[in-house]
Amino acid sequence: MMQIHGVWYDVTDFKHPGGPVALNLGRDRDATSLFEAHHAFTPRTRLEGLLNKYRVPDERAARLRAIDADIGKPEYRFDWSLSTKPEPSDGVFTDFATELRARVKAHFAKKAHEQGITLLQATKATWARWFCMTLCTVCFLASIVAFVHGSWIAMVLTPIVAWVYAANISHDAMHFSVSTVWWINAGLGYICPFMSSPLQWYRQHVVGHHAYPNVPFRDPDLAHAPAFMRVHPSVRWRPAHLWQRFSTALVWTFGATLYMTVVPLKALYLGILNRSVPVGKLSTTRTTVHVLGRLVTAALLWGWQWYVFQGDLPRQVLFTVVPMLIHSLCFMLATQVNHLTEENSTCFSSEYYTHQVITSHSFAQTSSLTFWFSGGLNFQIEHHLFPTVNHCHLHELHPIVKELCAKYNVPYHESPNFMVALQKYGKYIGAMSMPPTEIDY
């Protein structure tokens, strides 16, 4: 069961192209934002025709309630009735969103025609991207060999290569943007080294953050380590936040590792992730696999060194701690400047596509090194607008998005290089460390 635009649908028997993973993301939830974000290129009439086949009768629907119905505040909900045109083909979008979707769809339709493939295939990984993904995999496997043999160089390089692997392969896979074949995306998501549980990541990143970036009590990224860091006015200020310039360093170096192990188990126990995303119903088997997966992850991160390097205490300690710190730092460098600046942290628009733009921050779009290191996250605005598009195409969408943002007066937040973006982040973190003069949330 899932709710879309206020209507309940029973899609139990529907063979979704995205596979069971895609359907499970919307299970028992208000899946409206997820639905719209993942069907940007599918004709509205086709979507409505499919949905009508699975509509739940009104009498039965009246007894259903979404598990996230009480999450968030009414004033921070998207208004899907904002369409400025009455034609059904325009759906529920403003002129900005309608033209944006049409222009991007036309871009990929042209590529599809030239290459003799479908439109959706044109949005996924190209052969060149598959080559790069293979190269990332080979480099990671090669570094692992040296790593487990105690190479000091590999101790530093392996977590960096692992991050590049995750950013360039697993992130896209869990956004369904590597392939149109669902099990390829799912498989690549589950073989990611040094990464969070896919079950956790789908809920935190796809269901929560991507659908509701910077929305209080909907975006779980606003409430990571709130006792130590305040990254949004919705987080209650504490005296400890006065020191968050220092605590940021701890979160940046330990946060990703805790996110791979402790945080998923905490969310499972509480039934909700960072007060924002209900975990939902899980079978006993799925819960068991999830817990065992986190325990195995912990053993791979912190256990094998003490067996392999017996009698060599310095290696045991350093090979346990240093890779964890480096990988976490890589993750934070590539992700934290994407939304947390004074320009966009508290922005909100009740129109979905406008909101994705004004709450995101792109940077260093001309840097190939930044593009590789971040897995295309430096094109953050384009990525949030079209998450199912592989990041190898985002530079092509960049001029289209900027042009339409200028046309419709939608602020496009960007920085010319990473250092400027990092300075904006640091300034914002400093501002959030001070006691608020008034409470708005």
Side-chain angles (χ1 to χ4, degrees):
M1 294 286 186
M2 66 176 66
Q3 188 181 44
I4 300 173
H5 291 300
V7 179
W8 281 94
Y9 301 93
D10 185 351
V11 293
T12 304
D13 298 326
F14 177 48
K15 303 299 181 182
H16 193 282
V21 175
L23 289 180
N24 283 334
L25 293 185
R27 182 179 179 183
D28 299 329
R29 306 179 192 277
D30 179 351
T32 304
S33 296
L34 281 171
F35 176 80
E36 296 295 352
H38 290 79
H39 298 90
F41 307 117
T42 306
R44 177 66 48 176
T45 51
R46 181 183 177 188
L47 291 175
E48 292 176 348
L50 284 171
L51 286 176
N52 286 335
K53 296 179 181 178
Y54 301 97
R55 180 165 180 162
V56 175
D58 292 343
E59 181 179 351
R60 182 184 175 193
R63 299 192 297 269
L64 300 175
R65 183 173 177 79
I67 59 175
D68 55 355
D70 297 323
I71 302 295
K73 296 186 177 182
E75 60 266 34
Y76 295 108
R77 297 186 185 277
F78 297 128
D79 184 352
W80 296 100
S81 65
L82 286 174
S83 178
T84 57
K85 295 175 181 160
E87 291 81 8
S89 60
D90 294 310
V92 288
F93 302 108
T94 61
D95 285 341
F96 167 66
T98 299
E99 185 171 357
L100 175 66
R101 286 160 59 105
R103 287 279 299 276
V104 172
K105 183 176 181 179
H107 170 80
F108 285 115
K110 180 180 178 182
K111 295 186 69 171
H113 177 73
E114 293 172 347
Q115 299 173 28
I117 57 179
T118 68
L119 187 148
L120 288 183
Q121 287 174 331
T123 68
K124 308 307 179 186
T126 61
W127 287 112
R129 174 49 47 184
W130 274 103
F131 174 79
C132 292
M133 290 163 57
T134 302
L135 182 62
C136 284
T137 303
V138 171
C139 289
F140 174 71
L141 293 176
S143 71
I144 283 290
V145 174
F147 184 55
V148 298
H149 280 83
S151 167
W152 294 109
I153 296 177
M155 180 189 70
V156 175
L157 290 182
T158 297
I160 297 175
V161 176
W163 160 249
V164 173
Y165 177 101
N168 284 273
I169 300 177
S170 301
H171 178 255
D172 277 335
M174 288 191 279
H175 274 298
F176 313 99
S177 66
V178 170
S179 172
T180 54
V181 180
W182 74 265
W183 55 264
I184 292 179
N185 292 318
L188 290 174
Y190 270 88
I191 60 173
C192 175
F194 286 84
M195 197 59 178
S196 174
S197 155
L199 184 146
Q200 157 101 356
W201 182 256
Y202 280 122
R203 284 156 175 75
Q204 179 267 325
H205 190 66
V206 180
V207 176
H209 169 70
H210 252 268
Y212 305 99
N214 289 4
V215 175
F217 310 105
R218 296 306 301 263
D219 182 356
D221 286 0
L222 300 182
H224 287 311
F228 303 99
M229 288 189 65
R230 182 172 181 259
V231 300
H232 193 269
S234 62
V235 176
R236 179 173 59 86
W237 184 85
R238 298 175 173 88
H241 293 147
L242 288 170
W243 305 96
Q244 74 176 21
R245 286 185 182 273
F246 301 100
S247 59
T248 296
L250 293 175
V251 173
W252 274 43
T253 49
F254 286 95
T257 300
L258 294 175
Y259 193 74
M260 287 186 277
T261 53
V262 177
V263 174
L265 298 178
K266 175 186 175 183
L268 186 64
Y269 174 74
L270 296 177
I272 191 168
L273 175 62
N274 290 0
R275 69 182 185 172
S276 304
V277 183
V279 174
K281 297 178 182 178
L282 298 175
S283 67
T284 301
T285 301
R286 188 67 188 89
T287 301
T288 302
V289 170
H290 180 59
V291 172
L292 290 176
R294 294 310 91 206
L295 295 177
V296 170
T297 298
L300 292 175
L301 289 174
W302 307 317
W304 68 270
Q305 301 91 331
W306 301 90
Y307 174 77
V308 174
F309 302 136
Q310 291 182 52
D312 191 344
L313 184 60
R315 268 193 169 84
Q316 289 175 323
V317 174
L318 292 175
F319 272 70
T320 300
V321 176
V322 173
M324 170 181 65
L325 303 184
I326 293 176
H327 182 268
S328 185
L329 182 61
C330 290
F331 173 84
M332 296 297 180
L333 286 171
T335 61
Q336 297 308 291
V337 301
N338 298 337
H339 299 277
L340 301 177
T341 74
E342 291 182 329
E343 296 173 329
N344 54 16
S345 64
T346 58
C347 293
F348 178 77
S349 172
S350 55
E351 198 280 306
Y352 175 82
Y353 280 89
T354 300
H355 182 81
Q356 300 298 320
V357 175
I358 64 177
T359 55
S360 299
H361 174 239
S362 296
F363 58 95
Q365 296 100 317
T366 59
S367 170
S368 297
L369 177 61
T370 303
F371 181 78
W372 259 91
F373 180 76
S374 69
L377 293 179
N378 56 325
F379 289 93
Q380 188 68 194
I381 293 174
E382 290 75 17
H383 171 55
H384 260 261
L385 287 169
F386 301 99
T388 61
V389 170
N390 191 274
H391 79 265
C392 67
H393 302 291
L394 296 181
H395 69 283
E396 301 168 356
L397 305 188
H398 174 60
I400 299 175
V401 174
K402 284 201 70 175
E403 175 192 337
L404 294 179
C405 283
K407 177 180 178 179
Y408 290 99
N409 296 315
V410 177
Y412 186 101
H413 304 300
E414 61 182 332
S415 293
N417 56 62
F418 175 73
M419 290 309 299
V420 172
L422 190 61
Q423 289 169 2
K424 289 181 180 180
Y425 172 82
K427 182 180 179 182
Y428 176 69
I429 290 299
M432 284 290 98
S433 70
M434 305 307 294
T437 55
E438 58 182 82
I439 299 176
D440 296 325
Y441 295 86

